[in-house]
């Protein structure tokens, strides 16, 4: 048999995008082995901005924090003058990780392998025994090891969020976000952030399944019954969907005030669960309208892998870090604001019961990526149906829509030239 | 400290672990006092002096609310835990309560049969002996890892 | 260097089947990465029947059970009228698993992700908020999500065994089995089955290594010393090998009555182990001739991955579920018959010491797949020798033969066009 | 129950686990009474009320037969177990025997060095105190998982 | 999109070796999936010699030991006449492992699967029921199963070290080593070895990263601070680097006598750590000049994966066994000499605190392979800088040089035709 | 043996494990007598009668030297252990010391969050009761596996 033909043939089938544009997503997109590396290069190391950390995570001069650009390790630093830099966590010499810790203090960075040294901008400042010892050995005078990286990232700080990119071409962060998204980022980051802590989840699915989940305003009140039962978020509540010009970013928001609708009960949704009853300890849901606009829920995502969350007074940034074809790390960092009093902090901490790996309204999301990854094992040549709210990617008032999911694929295809 | 009291604490740990491992979540709140506190956090947060919890309850009522949510609202695949405990370190606290520190390993077994070492850490407890059996006035679960696989539904 | 050439070259070497037909099996067949997916499509989702479960596992109307077609997840249901159906365990919408449990009761199936609903035939019956809320959002009137699966399987029940296939073309189950195999299936399934329980083993080898093992009548009495020592099965015992027309399926059987031969002792086989002595508790091997034909052992396999076992009164079905190139789940379900009295059940349970992961005559099989998988690591361009009993695939009286193994490869090559 | 008896049970568990972990299988049957019962099954079978065992012996003689088979007949790669036990719950049964429930984790270490969390579950025991040392009249091993990696040769 | 083009394109980029010859190593060399199998065939099963075991590990006639040629399983035996043989640990029949234990006694080898038997040369001596039973079954008279392996290796014993190869063409072991390397092997293996024991480490990196580490005389005193602090090895100590003609093998050595230099302190090397202070228990470092030449450290490597170590009186052989693209087993065997008295043995055992997974001067090496493997995740199209000591591969007195690392790549490229 | 002494040994094990799991390595040498011996080796070496250790100290001073090296000289990523112990078998030795054998499982948790079953084995101890608290005259750690993942920096 002619293998070669077979292989080619198979691929061609697999790789063709369905004709129906953004309303059909082919399942091979979540399981094709070669695609993973290509996404790393074309998306994460391509013309996109990645959220690296909160400015508050670099509290003082001479501090650093490690982060990721896709699965590429990154160091973010604040130098002695307070300026923030980011560069590859890879030594120019032989490629060792430069920083072995999540965070710390440092005036310079010393690679453990051969003690080459770097300043906090990522510039190579010293090569051990570069001139040899007693005139023997060492490096040729014309050797320029500094030309071998670590590659430095373009860094921008927007509203206390540190973003980085490898791209020279991509627009600055604010135009990248666009006016609407930028405004809503500023809305949440209204004051200097005060760290409350973090943790991460290892999700059993491809990273795109999580981003779809985040942009999927349709699922929230159907999958997360706790949400619905306590009217934290119902599609019938006043709110909307904002999608940036090219589909890249999104916001899903809703007002706390409930129109007291009975749509879920009428539709007999499992998630309405009329007879659930009340909480014995309702203080769990106590909250204040700290943004003064009545919006109780604002989920905002920035392509490719950043989420900014406001659920009542529970604020968090989430970083989506691909760890292989079907493993994704979801790193959460929660924060309040400088000046929060004890009571306000306590309020945020109590509400944090709603989020994270044990979150009463978020625990399902981690598992959902796995349900799909496993569900499609035999269906690589099939496709999903993403037609709620039609086939467009425009902002709209209704959240009974998958417009933001289509937006994700619009921008994915643009970057992947797929 | 006399052996009786030590054994009473070991017995409390044993019954607590068994109730969870056998899925009797309804019994879980009763291991706490009415205003009992339960908190899961990570060693990383503790070391940084950051207060963020993974689970945080300040009363037995809140624990009951969580059990109810796990039973009626939340979606997660059938799974069970298996606790094994390290040796307990028990002291009499200034507050008259017993202070205990116990290391643990918890395996998670999915309905599919998949078994994994799911969590390790320490219990930091304040225990009141009043009444029939000792109860937790406070149980803080400090996870050694900053990372949870998929989700943490069943309490630790 | 021209990589491309290299790659092609390598493949061509690898992929050519040896000239000696069925008596030589190339070792790359167990370790080629691309082959795995191809087998899933051409064999398990191709023109073959897969055993899904016992009819007895769906005891009442409105019950379901999950199963597999290769590594594709499947739901098997019994509807309110008692009819049995099977379909992909994949939601039409975004591909989530529909059933998250092994078994249960259900009048309808609700996908947890967005609450789309299905009847027990796998037909989409409801799309949450299909018409939106308050006239906003929802799905275009012309959208036909039901056309996106889950794909329904052709299902047939034969002698209490539920089989399924994705193929329209494959013959019905009875002709697929052929007269001889069908008759011997009926022989074992002589009455309504009564479930005794189950468990599964994760085998450290490619699925084909286990199927070869099952069809390998030559190994049984040589690998499984317990078998031989207690004359449960010796190649010298009266018995035979039945192979279906195209090699697909097989039966290996033997009579309990022992010709008291000394062939093993003469040949000095380790497995004969003359001086082993007696059992202290011989009741372990007590059995009755419940089929009335003196046949004490009948191992029957159906291509690609089903085994029906009668060892004395210990009856079981085994499902072979590929879990990757070198991992295979072997799922056992043991049963007796309705009307078995306590004593008979106790007899079967005692004999179950012989089978499963701790089985005195089966524990070696699980490990054997791993011995080969590891043994051939450096020999992908070599081949095994399958020439016991010549080069044919015909039924014969002697079990000192690998005819059934050759039969497996005959049908494997036909399906894979290899 | 008095501490002596509790400690005697803990000691029985300890000696049982050690004998197996150190590969002294010949001693294993002697932890049982003459008509002692030993059964390994899965939580899934138990929950469904299905009787299928993985290993099933109704006398010490049967246990000896299995040890002999493991020594002289069965083929499996050299491997050892390492048991750690959860806290034991011990009660005096109506039948005058001690009823104990103990969780366990067992790691399997292959001769190649490969180490894995092999099995978790509970021991359900009925223990007779008669004679020199307590013995198992019945030990049921309920595995949390329905799935065994490769094979289960050495008893749990 | 035309996938095929894409794929080809990608590869071509990846696979081109940098123009700068041996001073730049492309990072894809550590992470390219297809390369792994190719290395197994062209290097480990190609024209190279692999260290299998010490002759002392086969102490008596009729003993065996398992080993590896790359990731291919091997059996090494000493037959009844004391001759040593090596062959594939793979049965001629169906490919099962023949030996399931690390070591043992045996007069013949019996495959557990179907009891085929072999002598200790690896020759097939028996096929169970070859002639069938009662004239039925069995193997055709003309079948020559012995022609199907296990393949026997060329074996040579040099200074108590057992080497094996699959190659007919490669020169005998002594010329393969070359005069300088051979002499220094003899230097250490001065008397019959006495086994002290062993253990292994699983390293989280590609096997080549460990071999580079071993040949990297530049890192030793910079990474291993304990080394430097206690002047066990400083680049300023008298010593040198010996590299065999084609770069394949190397020796890095130094004299115990310290020139008491202050180069590290002057250069402010972390590893100099002036104020570390003394050991409370200096007996840890007690040693005797057993080789009478004042050389306190001699690290010797033989391409592709063998290391012979003398650190003071701590002697060990290390086998590098690839276990996949990014996992490598490092198997240590320590030895002394027959005739060592108790005191000498105690001295060696105490010094063994310096080596292995807990070695005060070696624990870093295992981790270092992982630091690089992780550091280069986003840099497959980048390259490392290996220019210490210029661009050559000649022996030299200075160890402030990466000449031996370049030597490794010179011979790697020769074998891989890359 | 009386319960007091048994509990004292369990307590020694508990404090030892806790000190290591909490990273208080400086306290580790003080669990030993001045001339206390500490050795880590593998079951494979022991079975072959081969003396090679992975770690080998013949005095408390040597243990302090190792702690100092781990703190100031050696490079390894931030990590912690979690010990759980099997039941201890304690006997009074002919040498007047308590001889204890205790199985263990140790999980290793990397700063990245990665958790793995790192080591299993047995402690073989000779314990002196003299003075305030019992101390190890000798602790031999016999690993079940011949293989260590990456490195073994923190003592077991
Ligand atoms: S790899 Fe960083 S200094 Fe060598
Ligand atoms: S995936 Fe099933 S309803 Fe959306
Ligand atoms: S595989 Fe070795 S005898 Fe059959
Ligand atoms: Fe959600
Ligand atoms: Fe078999
Ligand atoms: Fe080194």
């Amino acid at each position: 048999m002619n293998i070669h033909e077979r292989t080619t043939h198979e691929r061609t089938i697999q790789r063709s995008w369905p004709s129906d544009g953004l309303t059909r997503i082919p399942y091979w997109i979540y399981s094709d082995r070669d695609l993973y590396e290509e996404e790393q290069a074309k998306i994460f190391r391509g013309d996109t901005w990645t959220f690296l950390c909160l400015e508050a995570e670099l509290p003082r001069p001479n501090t650093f924090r490690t982060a990721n650009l896709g699965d590429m390790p990154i160091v973010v630093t604040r130098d002695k003058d307070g300026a923030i830099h980011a560069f590859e966590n890879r030594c120019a010499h032989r490629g060792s990780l430069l920083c072995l810790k999540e965070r710390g203090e440092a005036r310079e960075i010393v690679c453990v392998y051969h003690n080459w040294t770097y300043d906090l901008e990522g510039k190579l400042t010293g090569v051990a025994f570069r001139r040899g010892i007693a005139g023997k050995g060492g490096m040729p005078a014309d050797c320029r090891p500094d030309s071998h990286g670590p590659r430095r990232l373009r860094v921008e700080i927007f509203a206390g969020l540190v973003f980085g990119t490898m791209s020279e071409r991509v627009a600055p962060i604010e135009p990248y976000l666009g006016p609407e998204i930028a405004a809503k980022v500023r809305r949440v980051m209204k004051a200097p952030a005060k760290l409350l802590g973090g943790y991460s989840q290892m999700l059993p699915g491809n990273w795109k399944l999580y981003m779809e989940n985040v942009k999927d305003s349709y699922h929230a009140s159907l999958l997360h019954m706790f949400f619905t039962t306590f009217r934290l978020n119902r599609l019938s509540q006043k709110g909307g969907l904002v999608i940036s010009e090219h589909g890249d970013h999104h916001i899903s928001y809703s007002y706390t005030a409930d129109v007291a609708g009975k749509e879920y009960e009428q539709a007999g949704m499992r998630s309405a669960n009329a007879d659930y009853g009340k909480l014995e300890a309702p203080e769990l849901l106590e909250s204040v309208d700290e943004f003064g606009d009545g919006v109780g829920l604002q989920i905002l995502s920035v392509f490719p892998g950043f989420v900014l969350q406001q659920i009542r007074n529970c604020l968090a940034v989430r970083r989506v870090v691909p760890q292989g074809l079907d493993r994704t790390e979801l790193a959460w960092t929660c924060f309040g604001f400088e000046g929060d009093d004890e009571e306000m902090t306590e309020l945020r901490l109590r509400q944090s019961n709603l989020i994270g790996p044990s979150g009463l309204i978020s625990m399902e999301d981690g598992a959902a990526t796995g349900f799909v990854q496993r569900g499609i094992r035999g269906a690589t040549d099939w496709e999903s149906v993403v037609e709620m709210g039609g086939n467009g990617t425009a902002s709209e008032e209704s959240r009974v829509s998958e417009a933001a999911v289509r937006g994700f694929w619009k921008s994915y295809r643009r970057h992947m030239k797929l | 400290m006399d052996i009786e009291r030590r054994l009473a604490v070991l017995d409390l740990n044993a019954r607590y672990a068994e109730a969870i491992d056998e899925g009797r979540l309804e019994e879980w709140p009763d291991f706490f006092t009415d205003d009992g506190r339960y908190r899961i956090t990570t060693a990383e947060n503790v070391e940084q002096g950051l207060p963020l919890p993974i689970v945080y309850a300040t009363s037995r009522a809140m624990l009951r609310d969580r059990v109810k949510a796990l039973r009626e609202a939340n979606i997660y695949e059938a799974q069970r835990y298996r606790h094994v405990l390290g040796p307990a370190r028990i002291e009499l606290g200034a507050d008259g309560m017993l202070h205990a520190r116990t290391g643990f390993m918890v395996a998670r077994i999915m309905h599919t049969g998949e078994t994994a070492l799911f969590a390790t850490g320490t219990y930091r407890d304040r225990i009141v002996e009043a009444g029939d059996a000792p109860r937790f006035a406070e149980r803080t679960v400090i996870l050694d890892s900053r990372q949870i696989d998929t989700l943490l539904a069943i309490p630790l």
Side-chain angles (χ1 to χ4, degrees), chain A, chain B:
Chain A
M1 110 194 248
N2 179 331
I3 302 1
H4 215 130
E5 224 168 69
R6 183 187 58 76
T7 316
T8 322
H9 174 59
E10 212 172 41
R11 286 230 166 286
T12 327
I13 288 174
Q14 284 198 350
R15 293 310 202 92
S16 61
W17 190 276
S19 50
D20 320 66
L22 300 171
T23 64
R24 298 291 182 273
I25 314 304
Y27 286 130
W28 55 257
I29 208 95
Y30 306 108
S31 58
D32 184 281
R33 223 189 276 116
D34 300 333
L35 213 56
Y36 180 81
E37 282 305 328
E38 197 181 343
E39 289 170 345
Q40 293 300 317
K42 293 187 178 173
I43 294 176
F44 295 97
R45 298 197 299 269
D47 298 333
T48 62
W49 283 97
T50 291
F51 169 76
L52 300 176
C53 65
L54 292 170
E55 203 179 351
E57 294 182 72
L58 298 164
R60 285 172 304 285
N62 299 317
T63 54
F64 69 86
R65 180 168 191 2
T66 50
N68 292 78
L69 207 64
D71 64 13
M72 177 168 73
I74 298 292
V75 186
V76 193
T77 65
R78 187 188 289 273
D79 68 22
K80 63 182 191 321
D81 307 317
I84 288 181
H85 311 277
F87 47 90
E88 246 182 314
N89 191 0
R90 173 181 63 79
C91 182
H93 178 217
R94 304 279 295 279
S96 171
L97 288 170
L98 288 171
C99 290
L100 299 175
K101 290 163 56 189
E102 268 63 41
R103 59 186 68 79
E105 311 244 335
R107 295 178 174 288
E108 65 169 2
I109 290 169
V110 182
C111 178
V112 299
Y113 206 163
H114 308 86
N115 296 4
W116 287 23
T117 54
Y118 299 82
D119 63 23
L120 294 187
E121 292 182 43
K123 284 213 211 78
L124 181 63
T125 53
V127 171
F129 299 121
R130 181 168 194 157
R131 296 290 160 251
I133 288 180
K136 298 215 199 81
M139 200 172 255
D142 64 353
C143 181
R144 295 269 157 278
D146 47 320
S147 68
H148 279 69
R151 289 168 285 181
R152 270 172 271 164
L153 278 60
R154 255 175 85 192
V155 172
E156 286 198 47
I157 295 149
F158 182 79
L161 307 177
V162 180
F163 288 89
T165 181
M166 302 273 292
S167 169
E168 299 304 325
R169 305 183 323 185
V170 65
I173 186 66
E174 188 152 0
Y176 180 80
L177 295 174
E180 292 169 309
I181 306 295
K184 295 304 184 190
V185 170
R186 283 209 189 78
R187 171 183 171 273
V188 174
M189 308 305 293
K190 64 177 171 145
K194 180 177 147 201
L195 282 187
L196 294 178
Y199 39 67
S200 82
Q201 276 173 274
M202 192 57 72
L203 308 183
N206 184 273
W207 70 276
K208 301 185 290 294
L209 289 169
Y210 185 76
M211 286 313 289
E212 286 187 293
N213 173 282
V214 164
K215 288 165 160 271
D216 172 4
S217 53
Y218 176 46
H219 90 277
S221 63
L222 295 166
L223 174 61
H224 309 303
M225 193 158 132
F226 196 88
F227 236 149
T228 320
T229 307
F230 298 105
R231 295 172 180 265
L232 288 164
N233 175 33
R234 287 186 167 202
L235 293 174
S236 49
Q237 280 167 272
K238 192 150 164 306
L241 208 49
V242 178
I243 299 168
S244 66
E245 190 183 357
H246 306 294
D248 309 13
H249 325 306
H250 103 292
I251 298 163
S252 171
Y253 67 96
S254 65
Y255 290 88
T256 303
D258 185 7
V259 296
K262 289 253 159 290
E263 295 77 5
Y264 286 69
E265 289 71 7
Q266 280 145 19
M269 290 297 155
R270 175 186 61 74
S271 63
N273 194 25
D275 54 7
Y276 186 98
K278 299 215 165 315
L279 289 177
E280 285 189 55
E283 57 267 36
L284 178 75
L285 299 181
E286 270 170 26
S287 64
V288 299
D289 179 14
E290 67 180 307
F291 300 101
D293 55 11
V295 171
L297 181 95
Q298 177 187 294
I299 301 299
L300 179 154
S301 76
V302 176
F303 190 85
F306 172 58
V307 180
L308 174 62
Q309 156 213 305
Q310 175 227 336
I311 298 174
R312 300 288 170 96
N313 308 106
C314 182
L315 314 177
V317 285
R318 310 179 199 163
R319 295 183 297 120
V320 176
V321 184
Q323 299 282 8
L325 195 56
D326 52 12
R327 285 176 82 238
T328 302
E329 184 179 1
L330 178 64
W332 301 72
T333 305
C334 293
F335 61 94
F337 299 115
E338 287 179 15
D340 282 352
D341 57 16
E342 255 190 40
E343 202 178 326
M344 188 63 188
T345 299
E346 180 69 10
L347 199 67
R348 299 193 197 278
L349 298 181
R350 234 189 284 118
Q351 289 178 33
S352 69
N353 277 300
L354 299 174
I355 64 158
S358 300
L360 292 165
I361 58 175
S362 73
M363 71 170 74
E364 289 88 359
D365 292 321
T369 63
F371 297 158
V372 176
Q373 194 80 43
R374 284 148 60 194
I376 62 180
R377 259 171 92 171
T380 48
D381 48 353
W382 279 61
E383 54 199 30
S384 67
V385 179
V386 186
E387 211 162 338
M388 273 285 157
N391 58 20
T393 63
S395 300
E396 48 182 294
E397 271 182 39
S398 171
R399 286 168 298 133
V400 191
S401 168
E402 298 175 306
V405 177
R406 288 186 290 272
F408 173 82
W409 290 109
K410 185 175 176 185
S411 98
Y412 180 88
R413 294 179 64 180
R414 190 176 75 250
H415 285 280
M416 294 290 286
K417 303 183 179 34
L418 196 70
Chain B
M1 181 187 323
D2 61 276
I3 293 162
E4 298 305 338
R5 293 171 82 183
R6 289 171 69 135
L7 290 177
V9 170
L10 297 184
D11 186 60
L12 175 65
N13 276 337
R15 288 181 291 110
Y16 180 99
E18 187 182 69
I20 289 174
D21 292 356
E22 293 187 355
R24 295 185 261 105
L25 298 190
E26 284 67 17
E27 298 179 13
W28 175 58
D30 298 332
F31 290 102
F32 292 80
T33 58
D34 282 356
D35 59 353
R37 298 169 63 82
Y38 177 77
R39 203 163 62 92
I40 302 179
T41 186
T42 69
E44 183 188 45
N45 284 337
V46 170
E47 281 162 8
Q48 288 186 83
L50 295 175
L52 185 72
I54 292 176
V55 172
Y56 179 36
T58 53
S59 70
R60 186 196 270 164
M62 266 196 200
L63 296 178
R64 279 194 296 261
D65 284 336
R66 183 166 277 270
V67 170
K68 191 175 182 192
L70 290 173
R71 292 298 195 205
E72 300 179 33
N74 293 117
I75 306 287
Y76 52 98
E77 286 183 279
Q79 55 192 273
R80 62 179 74 226
Y81 289 167
R82 178 60 52 194
H83 281 70
V84 292
L85 304 179
R89 308 266 297 111
I90 308 168
E91 288 157 8
L92 186 55
D95 55 10
M97 297 191 194
L98 293 177
H99 293 200
R101 295 200 299 282
T102 313
F104 64 84
M105 276 189 202
V106 172
R108 183 185 61 191
I109 302 89
M110 301 303 292
H111 63 109
T112 53
E114 191 188 341
T115 300
L117 180 56
F118 178 63
T120 71
T122 344
Y123 289 121
R124 294 286 165 94
D125 305 319
R126 289 191 309 112
I127 298 166
V128 279
E129 295 169 291
D132 50 344
R135 283 199 159 74
F136 295 112
E138 180 167 18
R139 162 154 273 193
T140 304
V141 185
I142 302 174
L143 298 176
D144 292 324
S145 173
R146 67 181 315 282
Q147 181 177 293
I148 299 291
D149 180 71
T150 308
L151 54 71
L152 194 165
I154 301 171
L156 285 166

